[in-house]
Amino acid sequence: MSSISMEKSASMGLKDLLGYLLDSDKVDSVLTMRRIPETGAWDLALISDSGNLGEAEPLAPVMTVNAGKELSSLSLSGKRIAAVLKPCELRALIERVKREQGSLENVLTISHTCSGVFPLEQAADGSMDELLPKYEKVSSMGEIPSSVRDTCKACQHFIPMDSDILLSAAATQRPGEGCVLYLGSEKAEEALKEFKGNRDDRVFDPSSLDRTAAARKKERDRLFTSMENDCSGLDGLLNVFGKCVGCHGCSRVCPICYCALCDFESMNFDYNLPYFEEHLSRKGALRLPADTVMFHLGRLTHMSFSCVGCGMCSDVCPVGIPVAAVFSRTGERTASLFDYVPGRSLKEEIPVMVFKEEEFSDLG
Amino acid sequence: MNKEFVPRITSFLCKWCSYTGADLAGTSRLQYSTSIIPIQVMCSSRVDPVFLLKAFLSGSDGVLLGGCHPGDCHYETGNYHTRRRFAIVKEVFESLGLESGRLKLSWISASEGPKFARIANEFTEEIKLLGENPARKSIFL
Amino acid sequence: MISGEEDRMDAAAGTPYMLRVENGPEGSVLELLGHVIGSGKADALILPFRVPSGDSFAWILFSDVSLLKEAVPFPATMPVQGGKALRSLTRKERGNLKVIALMRPCEIRAGIELSKLGQVNTENLILASYDCPGAVKLEDYVSDPASCDSSFSDMRSRGEPSGNVRSTCSTCMDFSMVDADIHFGYFGIEDGRMLVVPGSPAGRALLEDLNLEEEEGLLPQWKAEISRLAEKRAATREETFRETEKRISGFDGMLATFSNCIGCHNCQSACPICYCRLCYFDSEVSGNDPEALMTAAEKRGGISLPPDRIMFHTGRLAHMSLSCVSCGQCSDACPVSIPVADVFSFVAERTQRTFEYKAGKSDGEALPLRRFLKTELDGVHDMVKDAESEAASHE
């Protein structure tokens, strides 16, 4: 597999690539973050006219929506799309494709090493602009920016797994350094046949980010230990999730939660008066609406092993519950029961869809 | 505590094996714990893991899930799925410091009346040691 | 609006009662409610309780009166709209459980709208409200409960919204008596006493045997204070609505206001009126299938994702503004601080006025879209006639 280098920043190089893919009719549309000129707001855009790429900010450290989630449904249209995805968004896409919610057939995935995204509130109120220079400086040194989502700081999978094209985004933070595109598939080779740039057979060396990986591991341990302390036992669980207002925003923005009708919003959890009367007679009291903690335990059981730790859930929570930290921590454990890593490979089946005849001999 | 704690153990038992095994314990006049509250399901894989959560959060002191031995499922592969789902629920509990000892998976065949009685009694004793499920009294769930 | 409130106060079912609040207003109200349960006139209460982490509240349905002392009848913030809590309890068939719910006026109004929408059954449900100075923004409350409790207490003593209160509260004209069965009025009445006003025969029946003193003397000063506060609110309302109108005007205005929207639909989930299990704008018929989106991207050169966010907001306005009670839950729920409630309460006043309809009144008036007159809305009619004649002249 080859690599292509350009004497421009990673962001400019990517924009050139997207323009080339559109203009040479290799794809019908490209998916990228952009900044809305009139308002300065951040946006995920599906662009078909390369003339609109001026607004594109493909490496913007912000996630208004998990792009893997949006892309998966678009990919079912049969039209060709090139998408710039953060590593967790790519993993989410893979997880959704496994669930028949998307297809990789007509999709060219372009992913990059990621230093994390700013919380939505900072992206929305403009404070992100002030913090950006420091973010770029810190991440270029291989360190973790302090202003990103907590699950970003703790993310162990910040190097994309298996994208058609890989880009080292650390180059954006080093002015003057060129941009290198690592081609990882036949599809990429074919699509970039006529793309201009210096070709050689360089391969991406993940060890160049070992320092970052070590820092991330420390952060992960710190975050997960703090969750273990805060969210332990029924009391801990109630302390963390007790103020949940049941908006279900977390599951709505979650790329893995794809059910058109969530079990917990269905008639299965819609109660008749006898249910309430029975609860009253037994417990003397119950919360309305019911099933606050149930929803979270249920969602953990249903999808935690596929959680990619993107952090959208925590960001939309109106009361600031650290949903992402809890879910990614438990998710790491439920996934490792099956040596599973969500999004690592399309060949790895969803753990609950398969089984081994001999396993978990300690159970039962 | 003036009254002795009698645990309530919601028990999902598959019709072909474990429920029949429980029936056999009964017809054989084997004494087993009155804490067992049996719910028959066609197959242990009918048990949505959410049932286990609901039983626990509703205040069951213990939740028992009984199925056929792996390889003997009446529907061939049901209990293999059951096993994985149970493993996940157990791990969710453990990761959150919830008492996973309140959940039990047990393979009990139709002919294993004595095994059923033994499991029922042993599990009841384990639950007695754990005490009443704190979820019983919790109103903020 | 001011005269509407006075009418309601005058039409209250008979003489109001007075409650002596020696152990503070909270304690006395809870004691009264406890007596109602004790006397068997009601089986259960719905009241706010502080959650275990102490930084928010939850609605609790309870019949065990020993829990009363932990209830917080007048919470500083509104995490879950009371209408939603009523919906979850009474949407399905009602039984014999007699329940009293003590909620803010806008929550009562939401409950009444929901009963018209078939989502709340008010049979065996007694609704009780209280003079409300506003609700502190949820996000602010969660980050500093103690100081918000204190600023809310201050708001209550003055009867006025201030500080980190929701912006819709400052423009609310329904902050006192609404169509609840019982109302606790205390603005303008000195410490030590509170009015308990029956708003319906059912409310009166409940209060009758509680040995409360009847007291008409406090009415004039209470009404006068409500009037005075309402006038202030009316001025703020007019000014705020003008600002909102300017801000959202035209396509550009809407785009700018909702520019940061990420399509999470938190506003819709938090809204008490939006009860649809599957929102129209999530359904297959709303044109968000992949083929349609790709075609749109090709036609326009690009589209924004998630798709149709402006459509969602304008659509939600079209669908529910007639029932909007301007509670402000939507703004509080928005993760990117879009002033959704400001937009919705402004538009809602206009749509409701078009039909001379006021959301939240239980006077038997049907929802505007469920009835019609053969002759009405002349302005629209003329627009149609003009369009028809223009079309005919082209043939």
Side-chain angles (χ1 to χ4, degrees), chain A residues 35 42 57 59-61 118 127-139 147 173:
Chain A
R35 193 134 201 212
W42 297 95
E57 299 276 353
L59 296 173
F118 284 89
S127 54
M128 177 178 147
D129 291 321
E130 292 153 28
L131 296 163
L132 209 45
K134 186 157 179 234
Y135 170 95
E136 287 170 357
K137 179 158 179 270
V138 168
S139 46
S147 44
Q173 287 87 49

Side-chain angles (χ1 to χ4, degrees), chain A residues 132-196:
Chain A
L132 209 45
K134 186 157 179 234
Y135 170 95
E136 287 170 357
K137 179 158 179 270
V138 168
S139 46
S140 73
M141 299 193 298
E143 283 159 28
I144 305 173
S146 57
S147 44
V148 299
R149 288 179 179 167
D150 59 3
T151 37
C152 290
K153 291 181 198 171
C155 174
Q156 305 297 298
H157 304 290
F158 59 95
I159 299 169
M161 301 171 184
D162 231 8
S163 51
D164 293 310
I165 299 168
L166 186 150
L167 173 78
S168 179
T172 49
Q173 287 87 49
R174 273 192 282 265
E177 277 238 342
C179 158
V180 184
L181 301 170
Y182 299 92
L183 275 56
S185 67
E186 284 302 324
K187 198 192 284 182
E189 295 283 356
E190 179 59 38
L192 271 65
K193 251 190 335 212
E194 296 106 35
F195 185 62
K196 286 191 171 41

Side-chain angles (χ1 to χ4, degrees), chain C residues 142-367:
Chain C
V142 170
S143 46
D144 193 350
S147 96
C148 289
D149 279 332
S150 140
S151 70
F152 179 67
S153 173
D154 182 51
M155 274 162 59
R156 278 179 56 208
S157 58
R158 287 181 298 109
E160 294 197 61
S162 68
N164 46 11
V165 76
R166 287 179 177 176
S167 63
T168 34
C169 298
S170 307
T171 59
C172 174
M173 304 303 295
D174 299 286
F175 56 94
S176 182
M177 188 134 182
V178 292
D179 286 357
D181 299 294
I182 297 171
H183 181 81
F184 293 95
Y186 60 91
F187 286 169
I189 301 174
E190 76 270 22
D191 283 339
R193 295 190 294 174
M194 186 189 277
L195 274 174
V196 189
V197 188
S200 69
R204 170 147 222 106
L206 203 80
L207 296 170
E208 252 164 5
D209 304 330
L210 291 176
N211 293 321
L212 295 167
E213 303 165 42
E214 287 196 349
E215 172 57 64
E216 252 174 349
L218 289 174
L219 265 181
Q221 79 198 69
W222 179 55
K223 283 189 187 180
E225 180 66 1
I226 301 296
S227 233
R228 185 188 74 84
L229 292 166
E231 245 179 81
K232 282 182 103 176
R233 303 272 192 109
T236 312
R237 187 180 175 87
E238 211 186 295
E239 195 190 313
T240 307
F241 277 13
R242 256 182 291 142
E243 278 166 27
T244 305
E245 185 171 11
K246 251 193 278 172
R247 183 186 4 189
I248 64 170
S249 260
F251 201 55
D252 287 340
M254 275 301 270
L255 277 175
T257 305
F258 289 100
S259 198
N260 284 315
C261 177
I262 59 168
C264 68
H265 290 205
N266 269 11
C267 47
Q268 171 212 327
S269 322
C271 177
I273 307 300
C274 276
Y275 66 84
C276 291
R277 211 181 288 277
L278 178 65
C279 176
Y280 173 86
F281 301 100
D282 291 330
S283 73
E284 285 168 2
V285 299
S286 64
N288 49 15
D289 54 285
E291 290 82 7
L293 293 175
M294 293 303 291
T295 307
E298 269 161 61
K299 279 204 182 131
R300 291 190 237 162
I303 58 169
S304 174
L305 295 169
D308 296 326
R309 296 182 320 268
I310 299 293
M311 174 71 176
F312 168 70
H313 291 291
T314 44
R316 202 165 86 83
L317 280 166
H319 280 181
M320 62 68 66
S321 65
L322 287 171
S323 293
C324 175
V325 296
S326 305
C327 64
Q329 283 291 88
C330 42
S331 283
D332 262 13
C334 179
V336 290
S337 307
I338 293 169
V340 186
D342 289 350
V343 178
F344 275 62
S345 69
F346 165 70
V347 175
E349 170 170 281
R350 307 265 304 242
T351 54
Q352 289 178 25
R353 202 196 309 151
T354 304
F355 298 96
E356 284 160 19
Y357 180 76
K358 180 82 202 291
K361 281 167 67 175
S362 67
D363 50 10
E365 214 189 348
L367 295 161

Side-chain angles (χ1 to χ4, degrees), chain C residues 44-113:
Chain C
L45 300 166
I46 300 175
L47 289 176
F49 279 65
R50 202 172 280 279
V51 297
S53 50
D55 51 0
S56 190
F57 304 93
W59 292 109
I60 302 290
L61 171 73
F62 67 106
S63 50
D64 180 357
V65 289
S66 70
L67 293 170
L68 260 175
K69 58 188 180 305
E70 289 160 49
V72 182
F74 311 122
T77 187
M78 191 197 297
V80 174
Q81 229 273 4
K84 255 185 125 177
L86 294 174
R87 222 170 82 198
S88 72
L89 176 66
T90 69
R91 195 180 77 81
K92 291 185 158 183
E93 99 284 9
R94 289 292 292 136
N96 297 318
L97 197 72
K98 287 203 246 348
V99 178
I100 308 177
L102 177 64
M103 300 179 165
R104 285 179 151 86
C106 58
E107 295 175 302
I108 302 293
R109 290 170 59 223
I112 292 170
E113 275 307 287

Side-chain angles (χ1 to χ4, degrees), chain A residues 302-357:
Chain A
H302 280 178
M303 60 65 66
S304 65
F305 49 79
S306 284
C307 172
V308 298
C310 68
M312 283 300 300
C313 47
S314 286
D315 236 349
V316 296
C317 178
V319 289
I321 294 170
V323 187
V326 175
F327 274 64
S328 58
R329 176 177 165 268
T330 294
E332 197 186 81
R333 290 176 62 148
T334 50
S336 66
L337 286 174
F338 313 98
D339 290 322
Y340 185 75
V341 173
R344 175 167 56 188
S345 160
L346 206 51
K347 295 195 196 69
E348 271 180 81
E349 297 197 69
I350 302 164
V352 289
M353 297 298 286
V354 292
F355 57 83
K356 291 198 200 119
E357 291 188 9

